[in-house]
Amino acid sequence: MIQVKDISIDNFQGIINLVYEDQEINNKVLENLKLKKVFEGKSGQVFYKTTEDLNYEIFVGLGKFNELEKTDLINAVAKSVKQAEKLNINELGINFIKANGLCTGGITKSIVQGVKLASYKFDKYKGNKEAYNPNVTIVGAPKEKLEKMKLKIEEASNVADGIIVARDLVNEPANVLYPETLAKRAVEIGKDSGFEVEVFDEKQIEDLGMKAFLEVGKGSVHKPRLIVMRYMGNENSDERVGLVGKGLTFDTGGYSLKPSASMDTMKSDMGGAAAVIGTMQALAKNKVSKNVVAVVAACENAISGGSYKPGDIIGSMSGKTIEVLNTDAEGRLTLVDAITYIIEKENVDKVVDVATLTGAVLVALGTEITGVLSNNDEFYEELVVAARRSGEKFWRLPNDKCFKKLYKGDFAELKNTGGRFAGTITAGMFIEEFVQDKPWLHLDIAGTSWTDAANDSTPKGGTGAPVSTLYELVVKHQCKHK
Ligand code: BES
Ligand code: MN
Ligand code: ZN
């Protein structure tokens, strides 16, 4: 539990102090630590001591005031909570701080995320289940902000739970999580948090004419499901945002088989689906007054005598024909049908697709920046504002018309790969061919939705990206603060 109180000190078992390297010190203990170079407030530093009444004081460094980013703050809070866990502290206080460019709400949100994500583990298959769940109280915050902070804590807590849902879904292995069970999870989550979920089976997907989607899934014993989630938070508006998440519950590559080393994390190829489901939960729990439809075309890219093959020419819900040159470029085939569906059947005005789409985005941007393509500068600016508020990082790549020739088909209208060069762009622009001029954002999260390098707020596995940005993008707060 996290709360905020109008006190500067209380009888906590432990109190956390977040300290800047370059801040003025009016604390004897800190001054001494700094002189002795034991703790200087550098980013990543931790120090703790017992107090006279046998409680603990924990210090965690934030680095320089002007250099602190939102993610650094989240990680510093997570680090201090991890230290508190080692010390068995259940009643934990945390001293409020100021941060460059962040308003009280943004700081509160970061603290809540740091606290909640610090103790995230995916250990259900390991037996050891003592989850650390301290009572955390934020103290020393400006009096006049307390009411606002209480609301923020509640909101941020629901967003953090959305992140956790996304992580859990990504971490679940493909023998447990396949299209049918993913759909079941979505139904349960919808029931718990308050959004409608409709699931279409193979026959119904066929009736909708989603030919490209069906081709990808047809080699697997696990049959595809189309998962449609609707949250209508504003009756007085007919504006609808559409979210589409790539839902490959496993990607072997198909006949264009992946080498083993690239296949071993492919249970995570439904990271986009996980993110939109987590986002729907956060929106519904916070009773956001927006209308959102999310769609996941869930299937498994597997090999069998019935799988699709390189050279196949396939149809799509839009009517466009596609030459399959590489069965490992399957994500875009599922996504374009999901996009046609969400535009034509759910009447959305804008589309955001979220997908673990290309290895190329890892080459271009690494593991901390999501690649973006967009056909609409205003919508992209909304993403920039949302990202400033979430702390997650994005970078836009050009969808220049010069790339079009790379994926123009020889024997069909389009081909599903554009070759080795500009792989993230051609994948995104292939999808753009199906958005019917709706304002569109394409988020390639192949680098950001999974991590091998754990940090204090994110263990190895699913990261939950970009739930918190998608949430902010839909909510569209007027305040442009971080
Ligand atoms: N799911 C993969 C992309 C991926 C790669 C996700 C690494 C996460 C980590 C996608 O389906 C894929 O295989 N893309 C191919 C496209 C290529 C064949 C044009 C790729 O990136 O190699
Ligand atoms: Mn693939
Ligand atoms: Zn894939």
Side-chain angles (χ1 to χ4, degrees), residues 246 251 258 266 269 326 328 330 332 356-359 417 446:
K246 173 172 169 181
D251 180 13
K258 284 185 185 297
M266 280 303 131
D269 211 17
N326 190 319
D328 198 12
E330 83 299 336
R332 65 199 75 181
T356 48
L357 204 63
T358 64
T417 67

Side-chain angles (χ1 to χ4, degrees), residues 364-429:
L365 298 172
T367 56
E368 289 175 55
I369 303 184
T370 292
V372 186
L373 273 86
S374 179
N375 60 357
N376 186 295
D377 292 348
E378 265 168 59
F379 201 19
Y380 178 72
E381 279 311 311
E382 289 179 20
L383 177 73
V384 171
V385 173
R388 205 178 292 144
R389 299 177 61 88
S390 71
E392 294 181 313
K393 296 179 183 181
F394 296 83
W395 198 260
R396 188 177 180 180
L397 300 169
N399 51 336
D400 194 281
K401 122 175 181 268
C402 70
F403 297 105
K404 277 196 174 204
K405 53 184 173 290
L406 299 177
Y407 55 89
K408 191 174 174 298
D410 298 312
F411 304 111
E413 289 169 62
L414 299 164
K415 56 189 181 194
N416 79 330
T417 67
R420 221 160 64 76
F421 297 146
T424 302
I425 294 173
T426 53
M429 287 179 69

Side-chain angles (χ1 to χ4, degrees), residues 3 10 39 43 52 72 74 85 129 138 193 195 198 215 236 292 298 319 360 371 409 411 415 425:
Q3 54 177 350
D10 199 353
F39 176 85
S43 176
E52 282 157 22
D72 303 327
I74 293 170
E85 179 175 10
K129 270 174 203 137
I138 304 173
S193 52
F195 60 86
E198 189 177 358
E215 287 291 332
N236 302 323
V292 190
F411 304 111
K415 56 189 181 194
I425 294 173

